Structures are given as C-alpha cells and as structure tokens.
Amino acid sequence: MKRPLKTLFWGRTHEHACGKLETLRRLKDDFEIVAFVDDMAIAPNWYADDLVSFDGLPLIGPEESFGLDGIDVVFVETANAGLLSVASRFVERGIPVHCDKPCGETMEPYGGLVERCRARNLPFQIGYMYRGNPAVKWIHSFVAEGGLGEVRFIEADMNHDYGYPVADYARYISQFGGGIFYNLACHHIDMIAPLVSGEPQEVSFFQTAAPGYPEGSKTSGVSLMRFAGAEALVRVSAGLPGGILCRRLRVDGTRGTIDLCPIERFDGMNLKLTLTLRGESPREIDFGVQTDRYADQLIELAAVVRGERPNDQDYDRDLRTQKLLLKACGV
C-alpha cells in the first residue's frame, strides 16, 4: 500500500490555489495535507478567494513553515510575485516542490533554482496546467514521431471571460511588463516549446487594453515568434466571450494539421481534436470526458517523490519555456 506524502500547502492567493487544493483532497492515497500557510495578510490578491476550500486545514505561520520537519513535498500557491522566493526556501532544504506559474520576469532566480534542483535530482514541478492534458500529450508524441511532417505554423489562443472586477483585474495584471500575456501565455509557450527547435530569430509583441478594460491596461497581448522554418502566433485577452471553451492550439505541418479547440473542457462533453492529413478526410481523436485539470501531473510527482519512478523531469524544457516566454512578451 502506497504512503500518502506529508504535504505543506503554502498560500491561497494564487489563481490556481483553490483548484489545486481540491485536486489534492481527492488524491487521498497520494497526498496528506498536514499544514497550510494563509498568505492573505502578506500577499493580498485582487480577487475574492473561495475561502471555504481551506476549512479544516491545520494552520501555521509563514516563518514556522520554513522550518517545519517531516514534510515530503510543498505546494507553493502564493501570489505570482512571491512564488520563487517561497519555493527557494524549501529547495535549499532539499524538499521537493510544486510551484505554480509564472516563473518571474527575468531568468533569475528561476534559472539558478532549476540548476540547483538538477544537481540534486530534486523534483521542482511548475504548475503548467496542460502537462497532464491527454490531447496535448498526444500532439507532442504525434509530432515527435513525424506524423505531421515538419511543423510550419502554430496558432494558440489563451483568452478568458472570468468575470473578475474589471478595474481590480486591470490593476493586478498590468503590474507585469508583459501584462496578461506574461501571466497566461506561459501555458501555451510550454506547449509550443517541444514543437519548435532553436531560438526565435524574430519576435513581435503587441499589447493593449482588452474591450471593456481601462485604457492603458495590459489586458490583451499578441506575440509572433519566427523560428527557423516555423512561426508561432500566440494571443491572450481578457473579457472575450466563450472563456476556456474558446482556447485553441492549432499546429500546421507539411503533412497536415491538428486543431485542438477547446484545449480542455469540464462540462461533461468529450475532449476531442481534429486531425487532417494531406489527401485524407478530417477525423476526430476522442480523449473522453475530463474530470480534473491537475491530477495526472500531481500523481506523477507523488510517484517520483516516493521513489516509485525515476525523476525524469526535463529541466532543459522548463528553462526553455521560461526563456521563450520572456522573449515572447519582451520583458
């Protein structure tokens, strides 16, 4: 019988905190939350968190948490600006970390943290939420095996219609040089990175206010990256109808096209993509009903921490994703 990992959950102010916690509570065989750090007083966020999600968890203070013994893994879910500073305290102690995104507006200190983890073979999982997505994993495998030929063009949309208070959200997201693009396009950049090779030879980035948002706010962004033989166009905007059901990943190759839209869905409908190969009729690939965004990635982490599988984290991919994100949004 496998042992659930003693888990410290650090923070409630990240946008993914509640969803991540709900997943951990369902994965009772893999994780046991033994302590929770409430960071609302030190990292207040712009949105009203679902406070009920944290009821019943043992509460400890931030400083006490940094010396807590007997912890197998830490989940860092504080506000974006504080993610790496918190994660680094536990990396230095040799404790595996799941840290949410994004990884900072520069390569450091993230790059140094990754290298320290690589040297110690320490898991340092970033919360790129599509890494466990079955359709995305299928795309990566199909392209790697040459099924699409040579990739020529990638189109990705990461828009949302969350219904957040417009003024509060605009102030929050505009504190970042890359605005909403920096905050959300990291997920798309992480999907794109394995599909293209080399560094972008040219990058054009544009940002503006999304419809209905204050003038001058960084609530809409578009980036075009030109690689050798391929281009990637990524768009992110707030306040667009359709929400996550309009998010898309389209990959065009010399042998055909893959179109995944939506990228994920939790409405009881099956997740599907359309594959169109040259000379063939389009066909659907069906991945069934999705029930959890995070579970596959976190189950994998638990198996690595328990030693049931080797740590096959691709540290180079993680660094490349961060580097491409910063280039894509010009920060």
Side-chain angles (χ1 to χ4, degrees), residues 263-283:
I263 295 174
E264 62 179 0
R265 63 187 316 155
F266 301 99
D267 57 358
M269 303 292 288
N270 287 19
L271 179 68
K272 300 177 182 180
L273 62 75
T274 301
L275 173 65
T276 307
L277 295 178
R278 187 181 299 277
E280 300 180 11
S281 298
R283 59 188 174 99

Side-chain angles (χ1 to χ4, degrees), residues 60-254:
I60 64 172
E63 288 305 316
E64 181 185 357
S65 75
F66 294 131
L68 191 63
D69 292 326
I71 298 300
D72 297 311
V73 64
V74 178
F75 279 72
V76 181
E77 295 291 335
T78 192
N80 289 344
L83 288 167
L84 295 180
S85 62
V86 172
S88 66
R89 300 286 294 269
F90 297 101
V91 167
E92 293 307 317
R93 292 181 57 195
I95 300 175
V97 171
H98 173 97
C99 181
D100 225 310
K101 59 79 198 171
C103 298
E105 294 185 89
T106 60
M107 277 305 295
E108 297 298 336
Y110 176 66
L113 281 174
V114 170
E115 293 302 343
R116 287 197 288 280
C117 290
R118 189 204 303 264
R120 302 167 72 173
N121 197 33
L122 185 70
F124 184 36
Q125 188 180 74
I126 300 299
Y128 294 127
M129 63 189 186
Y130 296 136
R131 286 209 173 174
N133 183 298
V136 174
K137 291 196 290 187
W138 186 92
I139 291 172
H140 285 158
S141 295
F142 188 77
V143 171
E145 292 167 0
L148 211 59
E150 296 179 10
V151 172
R152 294 301 190 208
F153 189 78
I154 302 169
E155 177 186 351
D157 270 314
M158 191 66 181
N159 306 314
H160 74 66
D161 188 21
Y162 292 149
Y164 298 144
V166 168
D168 291 345
Y169 184 71
R171 281 194 297 271
Y172 158 71
I173 210 68
S174 298
Q175 70 181 296
F176 307 117
I180 192 173
F181 192 97
Y182 163 75
N183 191 42
L184 291 182
C186 57
H187 295 301
H188 272 347
I189 300 295
D190 185 60
M191 290 189 292
I192 290 170
L195 301 174
V196 294
S197 59
E199 298 299 316
Q201 300 172 344
E202 183 181 352
V203 176
S204 298
F205 177 60
F206 311 91
Q207 63 180 341
T208 186
Y213 281 78
E215 183 176 353
S217 65
K218 302 172 184 177
T219 45
S220 180
V222 178
S223 183
L224 175 63
M225 293 176 283
R226 297 183 184 274
F227 298 86
E231 297 175 343
L233 179 67
V234 184
R235 178 193 184 206
V236 183
S237 180
L240 293 186
I244 68 171
L245 292 181
C246 291
R247 291 175 174 175
R248 163 176 265 118
L249 177 65
R250 176 186 168 117
V251 186
D252 297 336
T254 54

